[in-house]
Amino acid sequence: MSILHDLFATIEARKAEGGSDSWTAKLLSKGPEKCAEKFGEEAIEAIIEAVKGDKAALTSEAADVLYHLLVMLAARDVTLAEVEAELARREGISGIAEKAART
């Protein structure tokens, strides 16, 4: 198992348990919209660090982005396995061809 699988399992556990001792549970209790908003904030922070060129700060923000993406997925009952399956479906397909097939 990868660290992302471990993290997603923890997020799912916090979702099931609830409670006020967990940032994840608190965020999930605010609903999918708040989870999406938080993901967007973290993505913007990562973009800022990428533009600045601060590798350490970008690494830290990227970790925040991945965490908040997983929380957002959990809030909408999308599993990491479903995302992996979609990535596997796209494997070997040109990004241009894949995007063209969506329209």
Side-chain angles (χ1 to χ4, degrees):
M1 227 188 214
S2 74
I3 189 67
L4 289 178
H5 285 104
D6 293 345
L7 178 57
F8 195 74
T10 299
I11 291 166
E12 287 288 337
R14 298 293 189 272
K15 180 180 175 183
E17 295 164 6
S20 61
D21 293 338
S22 164
W23 164 250
T24 302
K26 284 182 185 179
L27 184 56
L28 285 165
S29 74
K30 294 178 182 180
E33 295 82 5
K34 185 63 175 178
C35 295
E37 179 185 326
K38 188 63 180 163
F39 169 74
E41 290 171 10
E42 296 298 337
I44 291 167
E45 290 173 11
I47 291 165
I48 291 167
E49 296 306 333
V51 170
K52 287 176 161 181
D54 184 335
K55 186 176 178 179
L58 176 56
T59 300
S60 178
E61 292 300 337
D64 290 347
V65 167
L66 289 172
Y67 163 76
H68 284 91
L69 172 61
L70 295 178
V71 171
M72 183 176 64
L73 293 173
R76 286 293 187 196
D77 298 319
V78 175
T79 67
L80 187 53
E82 290 170 312
V83 175
E84 289 173 321
E86 177 61 15
L87 289 170
R89 183 191 69 76
R90 294 180 186 187
E91 188 173 10
I93 301 171
S94 143
I96 295 170
E98 193 279 328
K99 190 166 185 168
R102 290 189 218 169
T103 56

